[in-house]
Amino acid sequence: MLNSPLSGARSPAPLQRWLTLVSAALLLVTVFLVAPPEGRAQASGRAQTAVSLLSQGKPATSSSTENAGTAAAAAVDGNTGTRWASAFSDPQWLQVDLGSAQPITRIVLNWEAAYGKSFQLQVSDNATDWRQLYSTTTGTGGVQDLAVTGAGRYVRMLGTARGTGYGYSLWEFQVYGGTDGGPTACGTSNAAQGKPATASSTENAGVPASAAVDGNPGTRWASAFSDPQWIQVDLGSTQAVCQVVLSWEAAYGKAFQVQVSDDASAWTQLYSTTTGTGGTQTLDVTGSGRYLRVNGTQRGTTFGYSLWELVVHTTGGGSTDPVPPTDPRNPDLGPNVFVFSPSTPQAELQNRLNAIATEQHTNQFGTERYATLFKPGTYNADVNLGFYTQVAGLGLSPDDVNLNGHVRVEADWLQQGDNPNNKGNATQNFWRSAENLAVTTPPGQIERWAVAQAAPYRRMHLKGAPEIQLWNGGDGWASGGLFADTKIDNTVVSGSQQQWMSRNSEFGGWAGSVWNMVFVGTTGAPPQHFPDPAHTVVGQTPQIREKPFLYFDAAGNYNVFVPALRQNSVGTSWSHGPAAGSSISLSEFYVVKPGASVATINAALDQGKHLLFTPGVYHLNDTIRVTRANTVVLGLGLATLIPDTGQAAITVADVDGVKLAGLLVDAGPVNSPVLVEVGPAGSAANHAANPTSLHDVFFRIGGGAQVGRASVSLRVNSNNVIGDHLWLWRADHGDHVGWNDNTAANGLVVNGNNVTMYGLFVEHYQQYETLWNGNGGRTYFYQNEFPYDVPDQASWSSGPGTQGWAAYKVANTVTSHEAWGVGSYSFFNTNPSIVASRSFEVPDTAGVRFHDLVSVSLGGVGTIANVINNTGGTANAATQQRYLVSYP
């Protein structure tokens, strides 16, 4: 870092300063020529005149200032000879308060020499909850004139990476409202019509909240006969609201407020009255938000509140944002993707990796998401992966990116047993991934990958380590993981790792076994032997497509590679020559960033675009609908989708070859009947030649910041679907966890025929955890835990004479089904007297066959009476493991 200069000693080169001042002056002349006096005309002819400068002279604040002469106010004073400058560190921000919510169409940044290389422009209604308008990681300084779309009261520049050794410095920060093409009038369409509506109460079932937004003046919402009461509508995305029309029935509000919010929690008032008279009220308002609420505090009659219609008009009519194009040479991947090249300074690279590792070390239920990507070349780095972090190479082959050092996961943060100093527990090392890299450890050093669920080690080449350890290397615990399309030159030592799935991989050797180690299409695997050691070996993988991945080509373009479908395969797709498959330019993708509306996402899909979700948490007000064959939906950095309104997060039509990959679907507070559905009910098409596939798709019910509820996590109605590493988890720890809190009946329901699952983890659901209704199903590796929190036996039964629900149920109508290497465990710690009649329940028919089964009573807490049907023996405190080689 440069030594700090004396205050005021720094300035740009003379020519640069002259150009900057001239550019700024021309912009100001333009404003003075076209901008009318500030103000907003009334509703009927109301418009905001083109190109109004909204920020000048308004209150401004910042995260820091370099000195007293570079205050935040200097960036909005209209004087290009004064500036705001920050401290010499990241991150920093500058924000301006426009005084009221305004539509925003343009922001001009007039940088001094100390500019932002990586920054976002954001808006907010409360200076707390921010929405992104623009983001870049390749800022070049100078004068940046940026067209944006949004609305809000507060506007912020958030800098995350400086372009120099100094801070951030702006001569002027100018925010404009209106449009360059003419006036922005209040729209005439009803933004509320047909949108999800809720209310504090209803008088009866015939007057629901939805009746006030159905466009039918003959239906109405009516509340209970008390104060206060409210009705709110979810507009689907943040809208600039300019008018609200209330069509009251006879039971009206005398005192009420009209409010908006971005999260349905923190509300901003647009209008208030204590002298309402009912009838039809047309209210001109100014503000923005996703949710609009009418909050009644005093009724005008002895009845409740009753609205025939709640109409919301927005600036510009509330149309869908246009789908932005993607530059395949310089895509905007958002602020949480870090792309390294061989020219990246070693210290900068390692410092970034260390900072992410520190932040994510114990961040099990946080909202931060990261992807660290390496362009082809050679690096020296120690990658210590924490939660919600993806490390990946950007080559076509793992060997295109050679990393000397480590890509590792340690068991070093979670207490094991009663000893607070024993941190060898890896059973909660979830949600992280390593992909598409070659790693050479320092001479003689081992690699460690101590993980549990949802932590794939995929398309990797481990070259130097004498061994890779799948636990802490000592007395620690670990609980499940995946090797796929991976080559490990030397030995895998599984140690105390309880279960593991290896598919299409190549090992120098394997040592170790606990309960359930499964190898499919893998060379260097141990020989078939069950149960001691518990090695289930299937020689070939009958049908598989590897996960799509992002890569960077020699011409300087980003693409997504889609591996070809393979039949009866053994070993990796890449280590014996170039992998078969096809490339899709990133220009054919909509690069989705947090804050994008579902309407825009679906518009992109309707245009035939694929989706690349950048790292972040996405709150969905509607369903993402994939309707076209061969669509790729790929997430980076454990991109997380939360359906907030009780709808599915994703549905897929009954079409060929859709790929869903790299996503975490987190249930929202309103119960969703299903989170992801592949094919509508009754799907019947044959997709054998080009199946839909799901890769590293994970589901979570509860545990995080919000209540999570969903009846079914994943329902597969289409035929020939492939699942390639899925973890479906009803949370057993974290927040909002309890038998009546994070409710979920089924993890996986399969109705389609010839569906195949490789590496299926399903845990803690309250009824059948996996319910298989289709014929021709196959599962290679299954890991399950029954729900921990069953309160009593009477609350948990699938029918008379049966205790509990089977972990894996094959329907009685099924005539063909086969599974290899399946395990189910109990830990009924809420009530250790609970009994499950069986782990697996199947029809007794020759076409239904199971191989290598195990039931475990963990620590003897609870009982599993039989392994499968009425066979296999009881797992309990006396005999904690029960194995069965085959059934029937």
Side-chain angles (χ1 to χ4, degrees):
M1 178 180 290
L2 293 172
N3 292 325
S4 299
L6 294 173
S7 175
R10 172 167 50 86
S11 65
L15 178 59
Q16 180 185 353
R17 181 186 291 275
W18 180 82
L19 290 172
T20 299
L21 293 173
V22 169
S23 299
L26 288 173
L27 287 170
L28 288 172
V29 167
T30 302
V31 170
F32 292 144
L33 286 174
V34 301
E38 292 190 17
R40 187 166 172 276
Q42 293 304 306
S44 58
R46 179 177 44 190
Q48 181 160 344
T49 308
V51 196
S52 297
L53 178 59
L54 306 174
S55 55
Q56 191 163 307
K58 297 295 173 65
T61 53
S62 62
S63 53
S64 67
T65 56
E66 183 182 348
N67 56 59
T70 55
V76 293
D77 62 359
N79 182 350
T80 55
T82 62
R83 63 184 176 92
W84 163 71
S86 77
F88 300 174
S89 62
D90 292 306
Q92 300 289 340
W93 53 263
L94 171 73
Q95 79 183 39
V96 59
D97 179 358
L98 303 180
S100 63
Q102 301 286 342
I104 297 163
T105 58
R106 181 177 164 215
I107 296 176
V108 178
L109 303 170
N110 185 350
W111 294 102
E112 194 249 4
Y115 65 95
K117 181 180 179 183
S118 178
F119 64 89
Q120 298 105 52
L121 300 177
Q122 304 170 320
V123 292
S124 174
D125 292 317
N126 56 15
T128 300
D129 304 306
W130 295 92
R131 304 180 295 276
Q132 186 166 289
L133 300 182
Y134 173 85
S135 177
T136 185
T137 58
T138 56
T140 56
V143 176
Q144 292 183 266
D145 191 336
L146 305 170
V148 297
T149 301
R153 172 175 172 172
Y154 301 89
V155 184
R156 179 169 76 169
M157 187 287 297
L158 174 64
T160 53
R162 292 162 292 146
T164 72
Y166 302 100
Y168 298 82
S169 184
L170 282 164
W171 295 110
E172 283 294 295
F173 180 48
Q174 296 174 312
V175 179
Y176 294 85
T179 64
D180 290 333
T184 302
C186 194
T188 58
S189 63
N190 181 4
Q193 187 168 321
K195 298 296 173 62
T198 54
S200 53
S201 67
T202 56
E203 181 182 348
N204 57 60
V207 286
S210 59
V213 293
D214 61 1
N216 182 354
T219 62
R220 64 186 176 93
W221 162 70
S223 78
F225 300 175
S226 61
D227 291 306
Q229 301 290 341
W230 53 261
I231 181 172
Q232 76 182 43
V233 59
D234 179 356
L235 302 178
S237 62
T238 298
Q239 303 283 338
V241 179
C242 51
Q243 190 178 80
V244 176
V245 182
L246 304 175
S247 180
W248 293 103
E249 194 247 3
Y252 66 95
K254 181 178 180 182
F256 65 89
Q257 305 90 49
V258 177
Q259 304 166 321
V260 289
S261 174
D262 288 323
D263 57 6
S265 178
W267 294 93
T268 300
Q269 186 166 291
L270 302 184
Y271 174 87
S272 178
T273 185
T274 58
T275 57
T277 56
T280 298
Q281 293 183 264
T282 300
L283 309 172
D284 295 335
V285 296
T286 300
S288 66
R290 171 175 168 173
Y291 302 89
L292 183 138
R293 180 169 75 171
V294 179
N295 184 46
T297 53
Q298 183 182 353
R299 292 164 290 146
T301 72
T302 57
F303 300 101
Y305 298 81
S306 184
L307 282 166
W308 294 111
E309 282 296 296
L310 166 59
V311 175
V312 179
H313 294 147
T314 60
T315 301
S319 60
T320 301
D321 293 337
V323 179
T326 300
D327 180 356
R329 299 184 67 84
N330 187 29
D332 179 3
L333 299 178
N336 294 330
V337 175
F338 298 94
V339 179
F340 303 117
S341 71
S343 63
T344 302
Q346 167 68 23
E348 177 184 330
L349 184 157
Q350 191 61 56
N351 287 341
R352 177 63 65 185
L353 294 172
N354 291 347
I356 294 172
T358 298
E359 181 181 15
Q360 302 299 86
H361 186 214
T362 62
N363 194 19
Q364 182 172 179
F365 294 106
T367 58
E368 294 75 15
R369 304 287 185 269
Y370 295 102
T372 55
L373 309 179
F374 291 79
K375 290 181 178 180
T378 299
Y379 302 83
N380 297 311
D382 177 18
V383 183
N384 184 5
L385 277 178
F387 284 101
Y388 308 111
T389 306
Q390 176 190 27
V391 58
L394 290 173
L396 263 177
S397 166
D399 288 338
D400 291 341
V401 178
N402 291 281
L403 192 151
N404 296 310
H406 293 277
V407 173
R408 58 192 174 93
V409 177
E410 303 289 351
D412 61 359
W413 67 276
L414 184 64
Q415 181 177 332
Q416 177 167 307
D418 297 325
N419 181 357
N421 297 316
N422 186 347
K423 304 292 187 182
N425 189 347
T427 60
Q428 292 180 27
N429 278 358
F430 311 142
W431 301 310
R432 62 200 79 195
S433 69
E435 302 177 50
N436 203 32
L437 293 159
V439 179
T440 303
T441 60
Q445 293 189 17
I446 61 96
E447 191 67 288
R448 182 167 289 116
W449 191 255
V451 298
Q453 291 80 6
Y457 194 86
R458 182 185 288 275
R459 198 179 172 84
M460 294 287 288
H461 187 186
L462 182 59
K463 293 181 175 181
E467 63 184 51
I468 181 171
Q469 298 179 347
L470 304 185
W471 85 116
N472 76 328
D475 63 348
W477 303 334
S479 186
L482 173 88
F483 286 142
D485 205 24
T486 283
K487 183 176 182 179
I488 296 172
D489 289 354
N490 294 309
T491 303
V492 180
V493 182
S494 62
S496 64
Q497 181 62 246
Q498 295 165 353
Q499 60 267 316
W500 197 270
M501 172 65 174
S502 300
R503 182 190 56 70
N504 286 96
S505 293
E506 301 172 11
F507 304 145
W510 181 283
S513 167
V514 179
W515 295 324
N516 188 27
M517 303 294 174
V518 178
F519 307 84
V520 180
T522 293
T523 64
Q528 166 69 34
H529 193 284
F530 194 86
D532 188 17
H535 292 152
T536 300
V537 181
V538 178
Q540 295 181 328
T541 304
Q543 186 181 57
I544 192 64
R545 174 192 293 120
E546 299 297 341
K547 178 183 177 182
F549 60 90
L550 186 68
Y551 78 97
F552 185 75
D553 65 24
N557 296 296
Y558 286 86
N559 311 272
V560 170
F561 187 77
V562 181
L565 194 67
R566 294 200 290 165
Q567 311 284 347
N568 301 319
S569 58
V570 178
T572 73
S573 66
W574 53 268
S575 60
H576 304 285
S582 59
S583 292
I584 305 171
S585 169
L586 205 61
S587 64
E588 298 182 43
F589 281 75
Y590 170 37
V591 177
V592 193
K593 293 186 283 296
S597 71
V598 177
T600 302
I601 293 170
N602 283 333
L605 291 169
D606 290 342
Q607 293 172 17
K609 289 184 177 291
H610 309 275
L611 302 177
L612 181 70
F613 281 89
T614 62
V617 176
Y618 296 79
H619 286 273
L620 310 179
N621 70 295
D622 197 359
T623 299
I624 297 169
R625 297 177 177 88
V626 181
T627 60
R628 294 174 180 258
N630 301 309
T631 299
V632 176
V633 179
L634 177 61
L636 298 178
L638 280 294
T640 301
L641 311 180
I642 302 178
D644 288 330
T645 61
Q647 301 184 66
I650 301 176
T651 59
V652 179
D654 191 27
V655 295
D656 276 356
V658 172
K659 297 92 182 172
L660 305 181
L663 297 169
L664 171 59
V665 182
D666 196 357
V670 181
N671 184 76
S672 293
V674 64
L675 291 177
V676 173
E677 185 168 52
V678 180
S683 295
N686 186 322
H687 305 291
N690 186 13
T692 283
S693 52
L694 289 76
H695 313 265
D696 299 340
V697 179
F698 311 129
F699 298 81
R700 183 168 70 195
I701 311 288
Q706 81 286 332
V707 175
R709 298 186 175 106
S711 300
V712 176
S713 287
L714 172 63
R715 184 161 55 225
V716 178
N717 296 317
S718 288
N719 299 322
N720 313 103
V721 172
I722 295 173
D724 173 28
H725 190 220
L726 308 178
W727 185 36
L728 301 88
W729 186 60
R730 175 180 169 262
D732 60 82
H733 63 274
D735 293 333
H736 307 293
V737 170
W739 189 253
N740 297 313
D741 295 325
N742 59 327
T743 53
N746 312 115
L748 171 67
V749 176
V750 178
N751 296 319
N753 294 326
N754 304 312
V755 171
T756 303
M757 294 285 161
Y758 301 98
L760 177 59
F761 301 73
V762 187
E763 298 188 290
H764 310 304
Y765 288 83
Q766 295 171 297
Q767 296 183 19
Y768 293 128
E769 310 214 27
T770 296
L771 174 58
W772 212 295
N773 298 313
N775 273 305
R778 292 175 292 185
T779 295
Y780 299 87
F781 180 93
Y782 183 74
Q783 187 261 323
N784 162 265
E785 285 185 354
F786 284 112
Y788 291 175
D789 54 345
V790 179
D792 53 69
Q793 199 73 60
S795 301
W796 193 56
S797 174
S798 61
T802 300
Q803 295 172 296
W805 299 74
Y808 190 118
K809 166 70 173 177
V810 179
N812 295 337
T813 55
V814 171
T815 58
S816 59
H817 187 94
E818 197 160 8
W820 292 260
V822 296
S824 174
Y825 316 143
S826 72
F827 185 67
F828 299 122
N829 63 331
T830 297
N831 185 346
S833 70
I834 297 296
V835 177
S837 290
R838 57 191 62 88
S839 292
F840 305 93
E841 185 174 303
V842 305
D844 284 318
T845 181
V848 177
R849 302 184 298 274
F850 277 62
H851 312 273
D852 298 354
L853 307 88
V854 59
S855 291
V856 180
S857 175
L858 295 169
V861 180
T863 298
I864 305 174
N866 295 282
V867 177
I868 185 168
N869 290 354
N870 298 318
T871 302
T874 299
N876 55 19
T879 305
Q880 294 184 17
Q881 297 94 36
R882 289 289 188 177
Y883 298 95
L884 188 64
V885 173
S886 63
Y887 186 89

